[in-house]
Each structure stands twice: as C-alpha cells, then as structure tokens.
Amino acid sequence: MRLSSFILPPPPPFTPFPPGCAIIRPPRDGGIRYRGLTQEQILPVDYEIEYICRGNRVIVGPKVRKCLPNGTWTDMMQASRCCKSSLTPHSWGAQLYIGALFPMSGGWPGGQACMPSAQMALDLVNNRSDILPDYELELIHYDSMCDPGEATKLLYDLLYTEPIKIVLMPGCSGVSTLVAEAARMWNLIVLSYGSSSPALSNRQRFPTFFRTHPSATLHNPTRVQLFKKWKWTRIATIQQTTEVFTSTLDDLEQRVKEAGIEISVRQSFLTDPAVAVKNLKRQDARIIVGLFYETEARKVFCEVFKEKLYGKKHVWFLIGWYADNWFKIKDPAINCTVENMTEAVEGHVTTEIVMLNPETVRGVSNMTSQEFLAALMSRLGGKNPEETGGFQEAPLAYDAVWALALALNKTVAPLKAKGRRLEDFNYNNHDITSEIYRALNTSSFEGVSGQVVFDAQGSRMAMTLIEQLQGGSYKKIGYYDSSQGNLSWFGNDVWIGAGPPADRTVVIDEYRYLSQKLFAAVSVFAGLGILLGIVCLTFNIYNGNVRYIQNSQPYLNNMTAVGCMMALAAVFPLGIDGHHVQKSQFPVVCQFRLWLLGLGFSLAYGSMFTKIWWVHTLFTKKDEKKEKKKQHLEPWKLYATVGVLLAIDFLSLMIWQIVDPLHITKEKFTKEAPKEDLDVLIQPLLEHCSSKKMNTWLGVVYGYKGLLLLLGIFLAYETKSVSTEKINDHRAVGMAIYNVAVLCLITAPVTMILSSQQDASFAFASLAIVFSAYITLVVLFVPKMRRLITRGEWQSEQQDTLKTGSSTNNNDEEKSRQLERENRELQKIIQEVRTH
C-alpha cells in the first residue's frame, strides 16, 4: 500500500513499527510513497509494504517490508530512502534545506503561484544527476501573509528550529527587508523571488541579498521614456506609504528632474486614499503614477471613480505585477461595483519587468517558457491564472531555485579543495557563505524568465514590458531595454480621446485688445483736433502784428496750441497695443505716450497757467493796483515761467525713464472655459505700460499736476473780475482752465479704476484729452477769429498809423475821448479856483 506523497525533510534512520504491525507514518518521508495506508493503521500478518520513489530516483535500502507474527517488520535495522540514480547504495544523498516565506495572502498573495513554481523547479533539480549529484534540496516554507510582523515570528522559527537552512527565500519587499537585514547575523544568503524595493539594492545594509525580481527602479527609466515619447513635462504621483514605494518614488523624482519633467503633485496614504485622490483632482493632475499594492489599488480606483479622475483627460501608470483581473475581484473594503472599477481603470498603462521569456528557447532546465506555463497550470489544478496571486512572478521563483541550485553546485569543488562540504554549513560558517555568494554573484544562465544575471547590488537585470488596458484586458504595446536605451514600440496604443491627453489643462493665452472701432472713432476726432490746432496756430502767427492779438500774448497762445496738438497726438500711441506692433516695439510706444502727454500738458496748461498767474500777481492787490497798472509786463517773465514748468516736467520724465523705464506688464484675469468640450482654458491677458514703482511715479506726477490744476482754478476765480489790456484774453483762459481741470481731476482716478477694462479706460482718457484740447482751442482762438472777422481788424500796428476810420481801435478812441473830457473838466475846476 502507498500513502499519498508530499515532500518533507528526510527521516532519521528508520525505526521499528510498534508491535502488531501498526504503521505510524514518519513525520518526514524523504519523498517515499506508501500505497493504500492512512496516517495510522494496524496491518495484518504477512502484509507487505512496497516503497516507490518519485521521478528517476531509486530506493536505497529494503524496497519491501513484511509484517511478522510478532508484530514487527522485516529488515527493521535498515532504513529505506530515495536517492538519485547516480548514487550508489553506500552513498546516500545529503539534505540541504531552504527556508522559504511565501505570502499566500495579504497585500501581494504571490505565494499562490510562486510556491508551486519553486516546488516544480526543486523536483527537476533533484532529478538531475548533473546538478548536486550528492545532495537533495528540500523546501521548508511558511505563509508570511506579506506582513513583516508575521515574518519576524516565522524567521525566528526558521532559524531556531532544526534543521539548519542553507539559504532563505522570502517574498514581498517588506518581508525581504526584514529577512535580508537579519540574515547577515547568521551568515545566510538571501535569494528573493518577489521583492522590488529599491532599498534592497543597498549592499552595505544587505550584504548577502540577491533577487531574481528586478528592482522597482527598473520601471522608472521606462516611465521617463514614455513621458518623453508622449511629450509630457508635468506628472503627479500617489503612493502607499511603504519603503518600497517611497524609495521607488525618490528614484523617479531624481530621474524626471534630470529629464526636465516636473512632479507637480506628490500624494501618499497609509490605508485610506480618499483624501490623496481628492488632492490630485484639486491640483488638476492629469498624468498620474500610482505606486501601491493590489488591494490598495482597488481602494484607489474606487475613489478615482467617485472623483471622476479618469477618462480621456487622464492617464494612470500602475505596477504591472497585479493579477490581470485585479479590478474585477470583489473586495468588501470598497463600495464600488465591478462596472465602476472597469470604467475607472480603462486605458491605464502598466510597466512590468519581463518575467517570462518571449522567445521559444530551452534554458538550463530544458524547458521553454510556454512549457513552463503548461506545467505550472497543471500544478495549479486548472485554477484561473487571473485569480492566482503571483502568477506573473512564478517564472522568477522558478529561476530563483535554479540560480540557487547552480550556485550551490558551483561551490562543491572549491569547498572540496578546502576539505569542506555543503552539509558542513552552520550559522557560524562564513567560508561556505562566501563561496555561495561568489557563485551567485557570477551567475549567468538562460531561465524561463530570460537571461538571469545579477548586478553589483544583487538585483536582476531585465527588460521592461509596457502594457495598456484596452477593453478590459491588457495588451502589449512595447518593450524597453534600459541598458541599451532601446524602445521597441508596437504602435497599438489606444486612447479614449483623439490621442494622448495633455499633461495639464492647456491654457491658451488670449490678449484683450482695444476695440478698433472705438480707436478709429477717437483717432478721427484727435486728427480733426490737430487740424484745428494747426489752423489756430497759423491764424495766431499770421495775425501776430495785430494789436488785439499782441495784447493776448500770442507766443503763449502758440505754445497752448502746440501743447494741445501734442496732447491730441498722444491719443494715437494711447490706443496702440499688441494688435498693431510687436512686443519688442511696445516699450517705445509706452515712452511716446508718456512724453507726448506730459510735455503737451506742460505746454498747453503751463502757458495758460502762466497768464492767469501773472494777471493775479499784478492786478488783484487793491492797495497796489494803481501802482501795478503803471508797470509794464515784460514778456520774458511769462516765457520764463512756462520754461520752469516745462523744465520740471522734462526733468521728472527723464529721471523716470532712466531710473525706472516703462516696460510691458501683463495683467491676468480669471481663466475662462470655452463653450466647446475642449481640454483647454482661455487665459485672458491685458498688456499695460508700467514700471517697477509705477504707483510711486504716478503719485508724484498726479500730485504735482493736481496742485497745478487746483491752483489754476483758484487763480481763475480770483481774476474773473480783473480787466487788463496787457493780457486781454485772461477770462477765456480762466474758462479753459476750469474745463481742463475738471476733466483731468475726474478722468485720472477713473482711468486708474478702469485700468483692467481697456475700452472704458481708453475712452475716458482719450475723450478727456480730446475735449480738453477742443475746449481750449475753441475758447482761446475762436473769439479772436470772430472779432477780427466781424470788425475787420486784420491790419498791423504800423498800418494803423496810415489809415483812419475803421482802422482805428475802438477802445483807443473811447479812451481818448474820455481823457479829453476829463481834461476839460479839470481845466474848468482850475479856472474857478483862480477866479475865487
């Protein structure tokens, strides 16, 4: 009879069965099968037991035992065990024990497929006569649940429970970190099949660690290459707070920085990703790298579905070692349906280390990758691979056993030369550990996962597979060889939109320009005003010798006309913006605005202010009025006053231009969404002429000009009743000052308030300039034109001496007659005094 087979460490030399031929199955059967027996059974006399070994191994010792009448078995003093066919009956194979931790549950239940895969490799190694012919490998394994806390207890059991383990094989990065850091104290080599943490590449911290699973940082060059391919320069990240993902993200941050790519948002979570996902949406994350285990991935994408952080505007990059149907597995920790999850994950991209050789080649195990998958499926008993944790990593566990077997096989000869054997290993034997380390470090063979080679940090070097979830299933879209920098692209990537989305909401700058109709209308009025100014200036110059014009101080009036024309000319650069000139020319336009308006105001208003100032100075003091009237007003004093005002403006503008020149500034407004369903926002911009201390300069200029305007109003009011022939148009000047001052005092603050509204601001400023200029020109020059036209006073002062009648100034005639009357009255008074 045969008992069902299972692999356990070998038994001690066979001990007799108890009387009555009762068989108690030993705790470790060494690979022997017993037919027809339960764990404990009483067998009849003359009953025979036949031992059968698995594979091509042979029985060493009695093959058949018979139950004797005295309740014992035949050949009780000889043990029966299975050995490789190359061993002689006198050379039994020594057992070498491997302590393994397979996570059958937890964040990554990779042991579900990796353990059968490792066991399959172990069976093949033990059946090979050319690999460790004098030894047999045995696997002692526990379920770590991918939990470092649980692994701590299991590691203690492995180390302090017989037999001695020559190598440790953990899975999960957190567990491997714990095991690898402790193993150095026991001189143990650690060979991991499922650990991707970049932190494990630290040779100072983990001096005896190797892994057939490449470091997670191997994903990062692939991710950066894809970012470049799709022209993304801004990404976001979300990670589970564990060492493996933190160190992976640190490496990614360094790589993207070197590539000129920005990580705009970096979120992390411990157990609940809800807040982190909301922050991603708040920060407008579009290209998102997610680093978390499979169970947390379901939580994340449930929140992603709720926040609508998926679709044609978003791309997620995930780890490729999840089960293919990870998003369809019912999870009580989330409240999203399978349909919700399927919708949320559609289109995401995974980067995955190539764990199965894509080529049909037979490696060291004489098995192709496809044959391996068929054998593994047979071991799993037809279980759905998508529902089997670690199915993708199973080739790595398979090759890990082969790497270990080949390394141990390589150490046999060097140890024999030193008079040592592998079975002499104990936790204090550093020499054997060093030999195993050197053998593993130089490993190079073709496995079912591809070429197995370790780098200087003990990490596996491999290619990266790029996949995309299309229609609910993963499709291969490319490979990337980071060592060669070679991207093999299939061109079958599919996007929900027209193509790869933008890495951010595309913000289109849209400049706000002045209404061209408004600019044209105001320009026409300004142009007509300049023509009016030319007519007035020409009239004043032509009639400069007429006494009436001379008594109005024509040179000051000429300055007023020129100043008005300059102010009107400032309307044109005031309306010129980026619609008309290039940005490089815009500062010149700003200077034209400033100088034309500043100097035009100084000439126009300064000349009028000078008139009213001197009228007030000479004719408003009653006690000195008679004496002042006798004084002659010298023209140079008037010109000097205008010159002082003009010089003040010129110097202030010059200092402003030198110290803090005007330049273009852009005012940004609230972004606007277009009516079409486009992934863009409109950023309205408005160009301004400004300087670093614009408010200070405006405060100085407006303060100075404002005082002049207020003073001009005061002087005009004070001189409204003054009558003088020296400046015969001072009342008209006063009226012009009233209008100009009111318009300027109202327009200046209004335009500052409306500076963000280009049309309104331009309309107020330009119309104030136009109206001020028109009013000034009309008030000062039209009455003179009307007087000279209606009265015919076109001749010069010299011609007046040659002609009589209408050529005589009416005012002079009246004054002459009045003087004659006064003279006659005085003569009568003198005569009366004499007679008395």
Side-chain angles (χ1 to χ4, degrees):
M1 305 291 288
R2 297 175 188 163
L3 293 173
S4 57
S5 64
F6 58 97
I7 299 176
L8 289 171
F14 190 85
T15 55
F17 293 106
C21 293
I23 179 168
I24 300 175
R25 182 168 140 190
R28 309 286 190 193
D29 69 355
I32 300 176
R33 296 184 182 181
Y34 304 84
R35 178 178 294 170
L37 295 179
T38 59
Q39 185 163 341
E40 183 173 348
Q41 187 172 349
I42 303 298
L43 301 176
V45 178
D46 294 333
Y47 191 91
E48 292 184 351
I49 295 176
E50 180 184 3
Y51 298 108
I52 299 176
C53 293
R54 295 172 298 182
N56 60 355
R57 293 186 290 179
V58 297
I59 291 290
V60 177
K63 295 182 180 180
V64 178
R65 296 183 187 273
K66 185 177 181 180
C67 181
L68 300 176
N70 61 0
T72 62
W73 297 88
T74 57
D75 301 321
M76 292 176 62
M77 301 305 296
Q78 297 183 33
S80 299
R81 61 180 297 115
C82 292
C83 292
K84 297 182 180 181
S85 58
S86 61
L87 298 178
T88 64
H90 300 288
S91 178
W92 296 351
Q95 298 293 312
L96 300 177
Y97 298 97
I98 303 170
L101 297 175
F102 290 105
M104 309 304 290
S105 58
W108 177 65
Q112 296 175 8
C114 288
M115 188 187 73
S117 176
Q119 188 66 68
M120 184 167 61
L122 206 64
D123 291 344
L124 292 175
V125 168
N126 285 333
N127 287 332
R128 288 278 289 266
S129 59
D130 58 333
I131 301 175
L132 296 173
D134 298 330
Y135 298 95
E136 187 166 355
L137 298 179
E138 296 292 345
L139 195 65
I140 301 175
H141 62 86
Y142 297 105
D143 177 12
S144 69
M145 295 187 291
C146 202
D147 180 12
E150 179 68 17
T152 302
K153 179 175 70 70
L154 298 177
L155 178 62
Y156 181 87
D157 293 341
L158 285 172
L159 294 176
Y160 290 99
T161 303
E162 292 291 339
I164 292 175
K165 289 75 181 176
I166 195 169
V167 170
L168 297 177
M169 286 184 61
C172 278
S173 294
V175 173
S176 295
T177 300
L178 167 74
V179 173
E181 199 160 20
R184 61 197 294 182
M185 308 303 295
W186 280 268
N187 290 309
L188 278 168
I189 295 292
V190 180
L191 179 57
S192 176
Y193 55 87
S195 303
S196 59
S197 173
L200 290 167
S201 296
N202 187 337
R203 265 286 174 252
Q204 284 71 36
R205 186 179 174 190
F206 311 106
T208 62
F209 180 78
F210 292 87
R211 52 180 164 183
T212 53
H213 194 302
S215 170
T217 56
L218 200 60
H219 295 263
N220 291 337
T222 307
R223 291 170 179 143
V224 172
Q225 187 67 24
L226 292 177
F227 298 155
K228 291 180 179 179
K229 174 179 174 58
W230 288 320
K231 297 179 175 60
W232 293 328
T233 58
R234 181 175 181 264
I235 65 170
T237 63
I238 178 173
Q239 64 157 114
Q240 184 180 353
T241 309
T242 60
E243 184 180 29
V244 56
F245 300 129
T246 300
S247 53
T248 301
L249 193 53
D250 290 341
D251 178 79
L252 177 63
E253 188 171 7
Q254 181 63 31
R255 291 179 184 272
V256 297
K257 183 178 180 181
E258 294 173 356
I261 299 171
E262 171 196 5
I263 297 182
S264 60
V265 188
R266 182 169 176 171
Q267 292 293 316
S268 61
F269 65 94
L270 187 60
T271 55
D272 185 5
V275 175
V277 173
K278 289 180 180 178
N279 288 337
L280 288 176
K281 183 178 182 180
R282 189 178 300 113
Q283 297 294 328
D284 192 32
R286 299 302 183 91
I287 313 303
I288 309 168
V289 178
L291 302 174
F292 27 72
Y293 285 115
E294 180 178 320
T295 52
E296 279 68 26
R298 285 189 283 271
K299 296 179 184 178
V300 169
F301 274 88
C302 184
E303 297 299 327
V304 166
F305 175 80
K306 295 175 183 177
E307 298 295 332
K308 303 301 179 186
L309 200 64
Y310 64 92
K312 65 180 181 180
K313 297 181 180 180
H314 302 87
V315 179
W316 282 83
F317 281 78
L318 301 182
I319 303 166
W321 39 257
Y322 302 158
D324 286 348
N325 69 332
W326 64 271
F327 53 92
K328 297 179 181 178
I329 298 175
K330 292 184 178 180
D331 191 339
I334 63 175
N335 56 357
C336 293
T337 65
V338 173
E339 291 75 18
N340 298 154
M341 296 291 290
T342 303
E343 181 180 349
V345 300
E346 179 64 24
H348 78 261
V349 177
T350 65
T351 52
E352 177 185 351
I353 306 304
V354 176
M355 299 179 185
L356 190 68
N357 196 339
E359 300 179 3
T360 306
V361 294
R362 294 188 180 276
V364 68
S365 64
N366 196 30
M367 184 182 292
T368 66
S369 56
Q370 296 305 314
E371 290 172 349
F372 162 77
L373 288 180
L376 179 60
M377 289 298 297
S378 177
R379 285 253 178 177
L380 294 175
K383 187 177 179 181
N384 186 356
E386 293 184 356
E387 299 177 357
T388 305
F391 187 82
Q392 295 178 339
E393 290 78 18
L396 303 181
Y398 182 86
D399 283 345
V401 173
W402 277 99
L404 175 60
L406 293 174
L408 293 175
N409 190 62
K410 193 185 295 185
T411 62
V412 172
L415 289 175
K416 186 177 181 180
K418 297 178 181 179
R420 292 179 177 273
R421 298 173 300 173
L422 284 172
E423 59 265 36
D424 295 335
F425 175 79
N426 58 57
Y427 298 144
N428 297 317
N429 196 321
H430 181 71
D431 293 338
I432 296 178
T433 302
S434 298
E435 288 295 337
I436 299 174
Y437 177 91
R438 278 192 288 270
L440 270 175
N441 203 34
T442 57
S443 294
S444 179
F445 64 92
E446 190 73 29
V448 295
S449 62
Q451 186 70 20
V452 178
V453 180
F454 300 106
D455 62 17
Q457 286 74 40
S459 297
R460 171 81 176 277
M461 294 186 290
M463 293 182 64
T464 308
L465 168 65
I466 307 165
E467 292 184 315
Q468 186 182 40
L469 190 71
Q470 301 174 2
S473 60
Y474 287 100
K475 305 293 183 184
K476 296 179 181 178
I477 60 175
Y479 286 95
Y480 182 67
D481 184 355
S482 58
S483 61
Q484 302 293 328
N486 181 33
L487 177 64
S488 300
W489 198 249
F490 301 161
N492 60 337
D493 47 317
V494 177
W495 304 99
I496 298 175
D503 58 4
R504 68 197 78 191
T505 300
V506 177
V507 179
I508 300 176
D509 290 342
E510 185 177 90
Y511 286 91
R512 292 181 175 178
Y513 294 122
L514 179 66
S515 170
Q516 296 306 296
K517 292 181 179 179
L518 175 63
F519 180 48
V522 175
S523 297
V524 170
F525 281 106
L528 293 176
I530 292 174
L531 290 177
L532 176 62
I534 293 173
V535 170
C536 294
L537 181 62
T538 304
F539 163 81
N540 215 47
I541 294 174
Y542 181 76
N543 295 283
N545 292 325
V546 176
R547 185 183 301 278
Y548 181 71
I549 299 298
Q550 287 181 341
N551 289 340
S552 66
Q553 300 299 324
Y555 290 108
L556 291 182
N557 288 340
N558 292 344
M559 293 182 188
T560 302
V562 172
C564 288
M565 287 189 287
M566 292 179 65
L568 289 169
V571 170
F572 298 104
L574 197 63
I576 293 175
D577 50 26
H579 184 75
H580 305 91
V581 296
Q582 298 178 356
K583 291 183 179 181
S584 59
Q585 300 171 339
F586 202 78
V588 178
V589 175
C590 295
Q591 297 296 340
F592 269 103
R593 293 180 184 179
L594 183 64
W595 283 90
L596 284 174
L597 193 57
L599 297 181
F601 180 87
S602 296
L603 281 174
Y605 183 79
S607 58
M608 294 190 297
F609 178 83
T610 298
K611 284 185 179 182
I612 212 72
W613 169 267
W614 281 105
V615 169
H616 180 273
T617 301
L618 295 177
F619 303 108
T620 57
K621 295 182 179 181
K622 295 181 179 179
D623 54 344
E624 299 179 3
K625 184 179 294 185
K626 294 181 180 180
E627 188 69 22
K628 291 286 183 181
K629 284 184 177 180
K630 297 179 181 179
Q631 295 182 3
H632 178 68
L633 180 61
E634 298 179 3
W636 69 266
K637 294 181 179 180
L638 299 175
Y639 305 149
T641 304
V642 176
V644 169
L645 296 176
L646 190 63
I648 292 174
D649 276 348
F650 183 86
L651 289 175
S652 62
L653 292 178
M654 182 64 69
I655 293 173
W656 186 353
Q657 184 173 2
I658 295 173
V659 175
D660 191 12
L662 292 173
H663 59 272
I664 301 176
T665 58
K666 298 177 183 178
E667 181 182 0
K668 293 185 178 181
F669 299 89
T670 304
K671 295 183 178 67
E672 302 171 354
K675 296 181 180 180
E676 300 81 4
D677 185 19
L678 300 176
D679 190 19
V680 298
L681 287 176
I682 304 300
Q683 174 63 74
L685 297 173
L686 183 61
E687 293 176 325
H688 293 285
C689 291
S690 183
S691 57
K692 295 179 180 179
K693 297 182 178 180
M694 188 70 174
N695 292 333
T696 301
W697 292 109
L698 288 179
V700 172
V701 172
Y702 284 173
Y704 164 64
K705 301 290 186 183
L707 289 175
L708 281 180
L709 291 171
L710 293 175
L711 182 59
I713 293 175
F714 171 76
L715 296 177
Y717 178 78
E718 287 288 308
T719 58
K720 67 180 187 299
S721 60
V722 174
S723 176
T724 177
E725 295 181 3
K726 296 179 179 178
I727 302 178
N728 58 16
D729 61 350
H730 73 278
R731 292 177 181 173
V733 170
M735 184 179 296
I737 287 176
Y738 285 144
N739 289 279
V740 171
V742 170
L743 285 173
C744 290
L745 292 174
I746 293 175
T747 303
V750 170
T751 53
M752 292 182 67
I753 295 172
L754 299 177
S755 61
S756 297
Q757 303 177 36
Q758 69 278 9
D759 290 345
S761 177
F762 173 77
F764 267 92
S766 59
L767 291 178
I769 294 171
V770 169
F771 287 149
S772 298
Y774 270 85
I775 289 172
T776 300
L777 293 173
V778 169
V779 168
L780 288 183
F781 293 98
V782 170
K784 294 180 176 61
M785 295 179 183
R786 181 174 174 275
R787 180 186 179 95
L788 265 63
I789 292 173
T790 56
R791 298 190 180 187
E793 298 178 1
W794 296 96
Q795 288 80 12
S796 66
E797 185 178 5
Q798 294 177 351
Q799 293 173 329
D800 287 343
T801 60
L802 302 176
K803 297 182 179 181
T804 60
S806 61
S807 62
T808 305
N809 188 285
N810 291 336
N811 290 335
D812 292 338
E813 291 177 353
E814 292 176 356
K815 290 180 179 180
S816 178
R817 285 192 294 270
Q818 184 177 357
L819 290 174
E820 290 177 357
R821 286 195 298 270
E822 291 177 353
N823 187 32
R824 286 194 294 270
E825 291 177 355
L826 289 174
Q827 288 178 353
K828 290 180 180 180
I829 293 172
I830 293 171
Q831 290 176 359
E832 290 176 357
V833 171
R834 287 177 179 178
T835 55
H836 292 289

